[in-house]
Amino acid sequence: MSAIAEMTRNVGKIGLFFASILRASVPNASFRAELTKEIYKIGARSLPIIAVGGAFVGLVLTLQGYRTLAIFGASNSLSTLLGLSLYRELGPVLTALLFIGRAGSSIAAELGLMRATDQITALNLMAIDPVGKAVAPRFWAAVLSVPLLTGFFCSFAIAASYLEAVHVLGLDAGYFWSALKENVDFVDDFIVALWKSAVFGGVAALIASYVGFNAEPTIEGTSVATTKAVVNASLLVLMLNFVMSALLFR
């Protein structure tokens, strides 16, 4: 019972922390400047790892999918398998996990160091809301960046798949694109993938921010907070993906 009570308390604290982020999200000039900086820092700088990850996921899916479909004489359905797998599941989930490893850990570490070096205390002493200054821009930057990163991830995966399927495996290029266009729906697959990605980005940033913001004010506390943020956010994204997929794709 004590573990359940502790989990309930943590959920409540995270809920209150989320409410404080919403209250502190005032779209003034200072907030917009911080938001733009964070979008570049945690969004644009994540593009290289997203591009490389997406390309190799596309290559692996193409290789394994072709081998499996060829057994049943359905190798021409390769692009359909690829598109549905990417937009419905793999694109949002893998992008979120890569984002957590690259940017989520950075958010937790930065806030943990701010706690350890008394920068958060200094903001309070200057009557500046530390949540509005340090947390809210990072949260909304993640919500806006992860859907865009998911789009890039899927684009690089499909481009790499096309090169391998057509120029290595010998599939017809026209059929590859026509099957992808006919079977991947813009709203039910692409738009839903973006919504899932926005939720995953918000959850990742919320967990990373909460753990870093409330870390022990020591270097060791910052290290522990960074590890907890990556592990907890990754597991929560995987659990949320199952729930959202069960509700959205019936």
Side-chain angles (χ1 to χ4, degrees):
M1 292 298 293
S2 60
I4 296 176
E6 181 66 22
M7 184 182 300
T8 304
R9 281 194 295 270
N10 288 333
V11 170
K13 290 177 181 178
I14 293 174
L16 293 174
F17 188 71
F18 178 61
S20 68
I21 292 176
L22 296 181
R23 286 196 302 269
S25 301
V26 181
N28 51 35
S30 175
F31 180 84
R32 288 193 293 270
E34 288 292 329
L35 177 62
T36 303
K37 183 177 73 174
E38 292 300 329
I39 288 175
Y40 170 74
K41 195 164 69 173
I42 70 177
R45 287 186 174 180
S46 297
L47 278 175
I49 190 174
I50 295 297
V52 173
F56 279 98
V57 167
L59 292 174
V60 170
L61 279 177
T62 301
L63 183 62
Q64 297 299 332
Y66 179 80
R67 288 174 176 175
T68 303
L69 292 172
I71 297 174
F72 305 98
S75 56
N76 284 333
S77 300
L78 178 63
S79 61
T80 300
L81 173 66
L82 177 79
L84 294 179
S85 299
L86 282 172
Y87 287 115
R88 292 192 173 191
E89 299 296 336
L90 293 179
V93 173
L94 293 180
T95 300
L97 294 179
L98 290 172
F99 177 83
I100 290 168
R102 193 257 168 219
S105 59
S106 174
I107 292 172
E110 288 175 355
L111 293 175
L113 284 174
M114 289 181 69
R115 175 68 69 182
T117 55
D118 292 326
Q119 294 181 54
I120 293 177
T121 303
L123 289 173
N124 282 320
L125 291 175
M126 292 186 292
I128 299 175
D129 182 10
V131 174
K133 179 68 175 177
V135 178
R138 288 175 167 85
F139 173 81
W140 290 113
V143 172
L144 295 173
S145 297
V146 175
L148 298 177
L149 293 175
T150 298
F152 277 103
F153 182 95
C154 295
S155 297
F156 278 100
I158 292 173
S161 174
Y162 166 77
L163 293 175
E164 183 179 15
V166 174
H167 298 286
V168 178
L169 300 177
L171 295 184
D172 182 71
Y175 197 88
F176 181 94
W177 292 116
S178 63
L180 187 67
K181 181 180 178 181
E182 289 175 6
N183 294 289
V184 176
D185 187 78
F186 178 76
V187 175
D188 292 340
D189 296 318
F190 182 74
I191 298 299
V192 169
L194 297 186
W195 276 111
K196 288 176 70 174
S197 299
V199 173
F200 295 161
V203 167
L206 178 62
I207 298 300
S209 299
Y210 174 79
V211 173
F213 192 82
N214 295 285
E216 292 292 327
T218 61
I219 299 300
E220 183 181 357
T222 301
S223 176
V224 171
T226 304
T227 303
K228 286 175 62 178
V230 172
V231 173
N232 293 341
S234 298
L235 291 176
L236 192 55
V237 162
L238 293 173
M239 289 186 286
L240 276 175
N241 179 63
F242 170 75
V243 174
M244 296 181 72
S245 295
L247 295 175
L248 293 173
F249 301 118
R250 294 184 176 181

